Amino acid sequence: DKPVSTWLSGAAPEIGKVTLRQLLSQTTGIPNAQNAAMTKDMTLAQAAKAIGEVPLAHAPGTTFVYGGPGFQIAGAVVEVATGQRWEDVFQSRIARPLGMQNTHWAYLDLSHDTPVLIEDSRNPILQGGAKSTAEDYIHFLEMLAGGGTYRGKSILSKEAVRGGHADQTLTASMT
């Protein structure tokens, strides 16, 4: 529930007040059209800055708007907080411990509907950019069903899994 400015010191004032919970629950007020401004040549930090420079369409926390721009900002926060690229954090904390050998993040060029591998992009699309297999996805679902534990190994806390299943938009209006 901390504001984005905790990690992204250069965030525009409106975006700086948005919390991680609002980013992940899609209640930031960010207009969904911001997806069009992102390119594979940007970093997540650059994408977050570009997204944050556009005025909010709604006050944060008040309206649910399905779309991915907030996830790019959350990814930038992860990179700042860990000092690592998104893909490296995902691989070390989720994919490898779950045995997800065929899951990676990519940038999807919406103008051509073609994926750009993570090695060729510093700006993976964090809402819908994971490329995986059914077998890998089953491992992830087993971990969620196990309350964050997979084959005896703790991957996510029970609180994180419980929070992920909780209704985060109960008081928000829908557009």
Side-chain angles (χ1 to χ4, degrees):
D1 290 314
K2 291 183 180 179
V4 169
S5 62
T6 304
W7 300 275
L8 303 179
S9 58
E14 278 190 307
I15 289 296
K17 295 176 186 173
V18 170
T19 68
L20 285 171
R21 182 180 305 271
Q22 291 165 338
L23 290 170
L24 297 176
S25 65
Q26 302 182 44
T27 60
T28 59
I30 298 169
N32 194 24
Q34 285 310 296
N35 278 337
M38 296 184 293
T39 70
K40 74 176 181 76
D41 299 320
M42 293 178 150
T43 63
L44 278 171
Q46 290 168 327
K49 184 170 176 19
I51 292 164
E53 290 174 348
V54 173
L56 298 179
H58 308 279
T62 64
T63 306
F64 173 83
V65 179
Y66 183 77
F71 286 90
Q72 299 307 107
I73 297 172
V77 167
V78 167
E79 289 188 344
V80 168
T82 64
Q84 298 177 310
R85 282 181 21 166
W86 171 263
E87 175 74 2
D88 296 334
V89 173
F90 174 76
Q91 289 298 321
S92 67
R93 297 188 183 197
I94 304 292
R96 281 196 295 273
L98 291 175
M100 297 171 68
Q101 299 176 5
N102 299 299
T103 303
H104 302 277
W105 290 86
Y107 177 86
L108 182 61
D109 183 344
L110 298 175
S111 64
H112 297 96
D113 197 29
T114 52
V116 176
L117 297 179
I118 188 62
E119 295 82 20
D120 299 327
S121 174
R122 299 174 298 164
N123 185 24
I125 300 300
L126 299 184
Q127 182 184 350
K131 304 300 176 193
S132 191
T133 63
E135 182 178 344
D136 277 10
Y137 188 49
I138 288 171
H139 293 209
F140 186 78
L141 293 175
E142 283 181 37
M143 180 269 299
L144 289 178
T149 301
Y150 177 75
R151 299 184 181 173
K153 183 185 286 184
S154 178
I155 308 297
L156 297 175
S157 69
K158 289 183 184 207
E159 294 79 23
V161 173
R162 198 172 19 255
H165 287 120
D167 185 347
Q168 302 294 328
T169 61
L170 191 60
T171 60
S173 64
M174 304 292 177
T175 61

